[in-house]
């Protein structure tokens, strides 16, 4: 028994000693780990935010502990290596990221390479926050106002605001109108005196050529030629290569059946068939007299008129290539059976024209060039020419009693264009 007990005692002592050694070892290891964590706390925090090892190395090599803490207060900054290379204004890093994300989303300019984008970002934010922000605040702009304006405003625009002390209260009603530019702000305020409408004022200042009688020489090309609402006219051109991809032949009678070139966009073709059938029920017989016209065809016509009658005549009476609604695949010319039969001279004298005037909007069309509006549209009365806009807009235009030019201005349907 005794021996046995001794045996156990010895064994217990041995176990206790062994446990103690293990405990000391564990405490020691914990201490070492704790020390490592303590000394590398910022690196470990960065790693846990998703930064790569090499990114953390760049940051740790570049900054003091205080700046590292600022960086750690942000979510992961995807482009931190670029920011570090371009700027040491650490307190702006989250703005760089915010700006970069915003511009990425809003930009379709693929020409900038990665580095240029970052240079622009850093320059923009540093200028904005280091030199302009305090004055902008004094002028009444909140940070939210400023950020909502950034996608459409260059740094020069913000500099303009500061230089000309344009208060928020002066421009607040124009800020959300598409195409708003600070550099035109004072002109908007002046235009408002005349037009009493914020949308109209911004539109007419930015795009005076919408109203033809303003006789401006600015020339633009549409960036989104497929947009059904585009106001295509002299000064606002479709690209020479543009051809709608969904042209079809409408299933209504065509004035010249020998010519199978009568195509319109699918949506307009369907609407035209509905309109044709509705007219027919009321004993009105309309026919398609002209439809899609390619840029090349327009150019050819223009050159012919130039050769026959001279440049002055051509520029006055023939649409400049790219300026015709016929190239959209949404502009059509109608005629009637009575004209083809010689009972009427022109479509404008027919019952069909009267019917179209009253009903076209129900099918998505407007009579685009009516009497008395040639100074606005730049086109003299063309009763036969209809433009497809879709039912919703065509009804709205019809009820407004406005030309499409004025309708676009009042409703801020401004062209998405680039300078030609
Ligand atoms: Zn026409």
């Amino acid at each position: 028994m005794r021996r046995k007990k001794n045996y156990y005692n010895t064994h217990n002592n041995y176990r206790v000693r062994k446990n103690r050694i293990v405990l000391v070892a564990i405490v020691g290891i914990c201490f070492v780990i704790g020390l490592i964590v303590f000394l590398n706390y910022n690196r470990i925090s960065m790693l846990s935010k998703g930064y790569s090892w090499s990114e953390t190395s760049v940051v740790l090599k570049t900054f003091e502990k205080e700046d590292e803490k600022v960086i750690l207060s942000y979510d992961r900054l995807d482009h931190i290596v670029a920011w570090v290379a371009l700027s040491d204004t650490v307190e702006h890093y989250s703005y760089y990221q915010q700006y970069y994300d915003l511009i990425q989303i809003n930009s379709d300019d693929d020409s900038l390479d990665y580095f240029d984008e970052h240079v622009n970002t850093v320059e923009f934010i540093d200028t904005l926050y280091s030199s302009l922000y305090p004055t902008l605040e004094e002028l009444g702009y909140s940070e939210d106002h400023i950020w909502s304006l950034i996608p459409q405003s260059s740094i020069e625009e913000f500099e303009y605001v500061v230089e000309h002390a344009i208060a928020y209260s002066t421009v607040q009603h124009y800020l959300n109108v598409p195409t708003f530019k600070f550099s035109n702000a004072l002109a908007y305020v002046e235009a408002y005196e005349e037009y009493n409408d914020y949308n109209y004022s911004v539109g007419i200042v930015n795009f005076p050529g919408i109203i033809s009688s303003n006789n401006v020489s600015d020339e633009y090309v549409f960036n989104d030629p497929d947009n059904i609402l585009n106001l295509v006219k002299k000064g606002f051109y479709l690209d020479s290569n543009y051809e709608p991809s969904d042209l079809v032949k409408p299933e209504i009678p065509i004035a010249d059946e020998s010519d199978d070139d009568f195509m319109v966009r699918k949506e307009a073709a369907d609407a035209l068939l509905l309109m044709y059938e509705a007219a027919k029920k009321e004993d009105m017989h309309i026919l398609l007299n002209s439809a899609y016209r390619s840029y090349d065809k327009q150019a050819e016509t223009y050159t012919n008129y130039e050769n026959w009658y001279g440049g002055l005549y051509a520029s006055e009476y023939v649409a400049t290539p790219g300026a015709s609604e016929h190239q959209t695949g949404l502009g059509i010319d109608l005629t009637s059976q009575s004209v083809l039969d010689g009972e009427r001279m022109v479509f404008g004298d027919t019952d069909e024209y009267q019917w179209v005037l009253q009903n076209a909007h129900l099918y998505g069309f407007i009579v685009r060039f009516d009497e008395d509006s040639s100074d606005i549209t730049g086109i003299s009365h063309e009763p036969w020419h209809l433009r497809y806009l879709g039912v919703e807009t065509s009804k709205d235009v019809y009820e407004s009693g406005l030309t499409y030019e004025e309708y676009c201005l009042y409703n801020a349907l401004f062209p998405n264009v680039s300078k030609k």
Side-chain angles (χ1 to χ4, degrees), residues 293 326 332-333 382 384-385:
R293 259 175 242 158
H326 286 278
I332 54 169
D333 295 342
E382 284 191 4
W384 57 85
H385 180 98

Side-chain angles (χ1 to χ4, degrees), residues 133-146:
Y133 194 80
T135 316
L136 289 171
E137 261 190 323
E138 274 169 35
L139 290 166
Y141 297 89
S142 70
E143 188 154 26
D144 282 351
H145 294 146
I146 293 169

Side-chain angles (χ1 to χ4, degrees), residues 91-138:
E91 67 265 32
H92 292 167
Y93 278 16
S94 74
Y95 294 128
Y96 297 157
Q97 186 74 50
Q98 198 178 333
Y99 178 84
Y100 184 81
D101 293 343
L102 196 64
I103 296 308
Q104 286 287 95
I105 292 163
N106 285 285
S107 166
D108 31 50
D109 185 357
D110 298 329
S111 65
L112 286 178
D113 70 18
Y114 183 76
F115 190 74
D116 283 340
E117 282 177 7
H118 290 299
V119 172
N120 291 345
T121 300
V122 168
E123 279 177 3
F124 187 100
I125 291 297
D126 284 356
T127 311
L128 181 67
Y129 276 92
S130 306
S131 66
L132 304 176
Y133 194 80
T135 316
L136 289 171
E137 261 190 323
E138 274 169 35

Side-chain angles (χ1 to χ4, degrees), residues 290-291 293 324-326 331-334 368-369 379 382 384-387:
S290 182
R293 259 175 242 158
S324 169
E325 287 193 331
H326 286 278
I332 54 169
D333 295 342
L334 296 179
R368 181 70 177 86
F369 308 115
I379 307 277
E382 284 191 4
W384 57 85
H385 180 98
L386 266 58
R387 162 66 190 270

